[in-house]
Amino acid sequence: MKIYARERQKVGEGVESPKYRIVAVTGGQIQIEATHFRKFELEQIAKDVKADIVFMKPVDDEHKKKK
């Protein structure tokens, strides 16, 4: 099982709020209740369900959708 996560885009520097979002889960079933997670929370979930975490890289500005 793999859990894909990325950093939230609207978190400011020095903010104590959870920093990651789960984007996808493959190879099994898992029910997610929260929308934002701290890194240690993701690591604990992955450990408990025997999954690997894949931290996705941020999208370059040139690939983002322009308005």
Side-chain angles (χ1 to χ4, degrees), residues 12-41:
E13 290 294 321
V15 175
E16 297 280 330
S17 63
K19 195 171 173 182
Y20 294 93
R21 283 191 89 121
I22 292 179
V23 177
V25 176
T26 62
Q29 286 189 332
I30 185 171
Q31 186 173 353
I32 305 293
E33 296 291 330
T35 56
H36 304 123
F37 297 88
R38 291 174 174 81
K39 188 173 184 178
F40 78 88
E41 293 170 336

